[in-house]
Amino acid sequence: MSWQTYVDEHLMCETEGHYLTAAAIIGHDGSVWAKSEKFPEFKAENITGIMKDFDEPGHLAPTGLFLGGTKYMVIQGEPGAVIRGKKGAGGITVKKTTQALIVGVYDEPMTPGQCNMVVERLGDYLIEQGL
């Protein structure tokens, strides 16, 4: 299965009548493996900051998580595994796998829990596959 298929069929899928706004699978080095049409352009330092937060939980808390010019307030997550951020009526979930970051961006009416479920379910599957 191609990486784009994972984005199109597993991340951008319908969840209880709602959809993510954007999603991507990004290598730990910042290379984009696959992304949805509306996934924002981002700077390499955005991914560097996310990776540092996985290594040093709490690193992004004072400054926020930036992706594509949008700043998300970092909220609860799972140290070393998941980072969650909030901005207004939307937010972001980033799940770290062995080789990649699974990123989901959402806006209402999708809920944070629905976004977390979609992103983390694919991330857990990829970890089980050694990816």
Side-chain angles (χ1 to χ4, degrees):
M1 185 179 301
S2 77
W3 292 114
Q4 192 62 49
T5 303
Y6 282 113
V7 170
D8 297 341
E9 295 182 7
H10 297 280
L11 293 174
M12 297 304 292
C13 63
E14 184 258 336
T15 303
E16 299 175 25
H18 308 298
Y19 298 86
L20 290 173
T21 306
I25 300 173
I26 301 169
H28 288 180
D29 62 357
S31 61
V32 176
W33 294 6
K35 64 179 183 155
S36 65
E37 186 178 319
K38 293 183 180 179
F39 195 79
E41 293 296 321
F42 60 88
K43 296 178 179 164
E45 59 258 27
N46 297 152
I47 303 306
T48 303
I50 291 169
M51 290 301 295
K52 185 166 184 172
D53 195 82
F54 282 120
D55 293 335
E56 300 172 24
H59 168 74
L60 290 175
T63 59
L65 184 159
F66 286 86
L67 187 71
T70 301
K71 178 182 178 180
Y72 297 91
M73 179 179 65
V74 176
I75 55 176
Q76 98 290 354
E78 296 169 28
V82 179
I83 299 170
R84 298 182 184 108
K86 188 88 173 114
K87 176 166 175 63
I92 189 169
T93 301
V94 183
K95 170 77 174 183
K96 182 182 179 192
T97 71
T98 308
Q99 300 177 19
L101 301 174
I102 313 303
V103 183
V105 179
Y106 71 93
D107 280 308
E108 286 184 341
M110 183 171 249
T111 66
Q114 290 168 327
C115 177
N116 296 342
M117 183 182 68
V118 169
V119 171
E120 293 176 38
R121 182 174 50 201
L122 178 59
D124 290 341
Y125 170 77
L126 293 175
I127 290 169
E128 288 171 10
Q129 303 305 308
L131 301 169

